[in-house]
Amino acid sequence: MPDDELVRSTLRDEWHLVPHQITTLRGTLLSRAWEVTTGDDRYVCRLSDLAVRRPVEAGLAAAGHLRGRGIAAGDPVRTLGGKLTVRTADGVLAVLRRVPGRRLDGGDPVDQQWWGDRLGAVHRALQGFHHPALRRWQALDTDAPHLAREPWLRAAVTGALTATTRLTVTDRLTYGVLLGDPAPGTFVVDPATGRAGLLDCGASGTGPLVYDVAAAIVYAGGTERAAELIDGYLAAGPVSADELEAALPVLLRLGWAVRAFHAAQHGCEESLEVARQALESAAG
């Protein structure tokens, strides 16, 4: 079933929403998303793997926590049966009310400042947040069959995981709730009010907060292209500059490994090649 038809039929059957327009939102790694318009109302629909259904619901709860702390975040819409998410043939679907504003451009220096600032503010606001479905830091599956797609891939992913394990055992890191996939398009800024927020919290889990910064830098294209993002984060987030400097190289390597893992899984050749070059540079 085509993606837009899957969304259309599920919204009709489970939420009694009839979309007038469905637009695919590009630029995320771990899920698929659409913006949906019904009359004067706008929503974001997020489709994730069924295996992360409970973490997705934890993310919806985290978004509610953020709204209580004054940070704009998507408000989940329950189904006619009162559920937060729905199982479909292609994964688990969640629907949230669209936060006003335009999605950020990760290549724009001013937007990078907003991006880093909001990521830091989210990390700080979620300190102390608890939910039974929050999953702990999870490693990639180094035995996954798709890692045989390229001769270098399994060794690169394994090496990144080994370095990360060594870091987390030997260094004292700041842990907390992670977004996990902090793409720039997940964050928005409202030009009318200057208020920035985020569409949703994704499949939230817990781990070293520097990993989210590293994952954002991967979206920016590498450290040399992310100066404003880093500055924005350090001004708003709970991680110190010293910790970020010490942990970032290892967790950035892991971020590129995650990119390579999912690019190989979904057959994204261009993304896989970019990740390969970054991993070679990080390992060297």
Side-chain angles (χ1 to χ4, degrees), residues 247-273:
L248 187 56
V250 173
L251 292 178
L252 188 57
R253 183 179 175 186
L254 178 63
W256 284 113
V258 170
R259 171 61 61 93
F261 184 95
H262 290 284
Q265 186 176 26
H266 298 293
C268 302
E269 297 293 343
E270 183 177 353
S271 183
L272 185 60
E273 175 58 21

Side-chain angles (χ1 to χ4, degrees), residues 10 46 53 68 77-78 85-86 93 95 117-118 242 269 280:
T10 306
R46 181 83 64 183
R53 183 173 191 172
V77 180
R78 290 184 179 269
T85 59
V86 166
L93 191 71
V95 177
D117 173 87
R118 287 299 83 187
D242 287 344
E269 297 293 343
E280 285 185 355

Side-chain angles (χ1 to χ4, degrees), residues 115-208:
W115 184 12
D117 173 87
R118 287 299 83 187
L119 180 57
V122 166
H123 280 173
R124 193 173 290 280
L126 289 177
Q127 290 183 314
F129 171 75
H130 301 286
H131 190 279
L134 278 176
R135 60 182 182 179
R136 290 186 177 183
W137 174 266
Q138 290 185 332
L140 299 172
D141 179 10
T142 56
D143 293 324
H146 64 268
L147 292 183
R149 183 186 182 97
E150 298 287 345
W152 56 270
L153 185 53
R154 196 180 306 276
V157 170
T158 301
L161 287 171
T162 299
T164 300
T165 299
R166 188 180 304 116
L167 173 73
T168 56
V169 168
T170 59
D171 286 37
R172 296 188 63 180
L173 303 176
T174 304
Y175 280 70
V177 178
L178 300 172
L179 296 186
D181 195 23
T186 300
F187 297 82
V188 297
V189 61
D190 187 352
T193 63
R195 191 181 185 195
L198 70 164
L199 299 180
D200 68 339
C201 290
S204 291
T206 59

Side-chain angles (χ1 to χ4, degrees), residues 32-47:
R32 287 180 283 168
W34 300 264
E35 186 168 311
V36 174
T37 302
T38 64
D40 294 332
D41 297 321
R42 297 169 70 194
Y43 304 90
V44 170
C45 301
R46 181 83 64 183
L47 184 70

